Amino acid sequence: YFNCGTCYSCRRGLVNACTGNETMGVQREGAFAEYITMPVERIYDGKGLDPKVLTLIEPFCISYHGVQRANVKAGEKVLVVGAGTIGVLAAVAAKAKGAEVTICDVAPDKLEYACRTFGLDHKLLNESPEAFAKALICLEMSFASFRALLRSKYWLSFSEENRFGSFCSMGCCIGPSCP
């Protein structure tokens, strides 16, 4: 992140929620550009680690940090929204802490892969705003929520309401169990 350092979020140390955030590869050129500029204090030595391992450090750190901030405990029910890389790694981190993990996505193949490969407890297919809203109220269970790559138009209001480093709890109907 390239943050402004002066907005409300930055002053609170929540630089990832900066109102003027510029993320590499999103609001500014990413590392696949021919040339990039980077402040020297943001460059880290890979210390001989395999490049394939190094590529997973950033998404895993984001995911694990979210699980830590949500203070996930053994036996809790956790809903992870998004079965992309960051979402799946958040689910794995929550599962490692002993949580019962439900992963939600709009892509059935991604849900199947995440559950089958990582032994997640449940999957929830977000087929439509109506189906998802019904699922959220059909059981009153408390979930720590993670916002992993919230690109779905169904989540726009949810993501806007949860800016500035807040967490929310929600109820959710648990979908079919993973094999």
Side-chain angles (χ1 to χ4, degrees):
Y1 298 107
F2 291 85
N3 57 299
C4 72
T6 59
C7 72
Y8 176 71
S9 295
C10 286
R11 291 191 317 266
R12 291 178 53 214
L14 303 170
V15 297
N16 61 312
C18 173
T19 58
N21 174 48
E22 290 188 6
T23 302
M24 285 186 66
V26 181
Q27 292 91 358
R28 66 181 333 169
E29 288 294 323
F32 285 125
E34 187 173 355
Y35 297 100
I36 63 169
T37 59
M38 178 68 66
V40 71
E41 63 272 4
R42 292 186 180 216
I43 299 175
Y44 296 91
D45 182 351
K47 301 201 184 290
L49 288 173
D50 184 283
K52 289 181 181 180
V53 171
L54 290 171
T55 62
L56 292 174
I57 290 173
E58 191 263 352
F60 179 74
C61 288
I62 289 170
S63 304
Y64 187 75
H65 179 72
V67 170
Q68 287 291 98
R69 291 211 40 214
N71 199 24
V72 172
K73 304 265 191 267
E76 289 184 332
K77 292 175 171 53
V78 174
L79 171 65
V80 178
V81 179
T85 303
I86 292 172
V88 168
L89 291 172
V92 168
K95 185 81 176 157
K97 289 187 164 284
E100 181 180 326
V101 179
T102 299
I103 193 158
C104 173
D105 202 283
V106 296
D109 293 347
K110 288 169 67 175
L111 289 173
E112 290 297 327
Y113 178 82
C115 287
R116 183 180 64 250
T117 305
F118 299 102
L120 305 179
D121 300 298
H122 310 283
K123 59 185 174 273
L124 176 61
L125 182 61
N126 184 3
E127 298 176 285
S128 70
E130 296 78 20
F132 192 72
K134 183 177 179 181
L136 288 177
I137 60 174
C138 73
L139 291 177
E140 293 181 6
M141 296 184 170
S142 178
F143 285 84
S145 68
F146 299 94
R147 298 178 303 122
L149 299 179
L150 293 176
R151 295 174 188 246
S152 169
K153 64 182 178 181
Y154 313 132
W155 281 96
L156 182 59
S157 63
F158 174 79
S159 63
E160 287 300 310
E161 291 169 10
N162 284 285
R163 292 175 51 174
F164 308 117
S166 61
F167 289 92
C168 82
S169 294
M170 60 179 65
C172 180
C173 178
I174 296 176
S177 293
C178 296

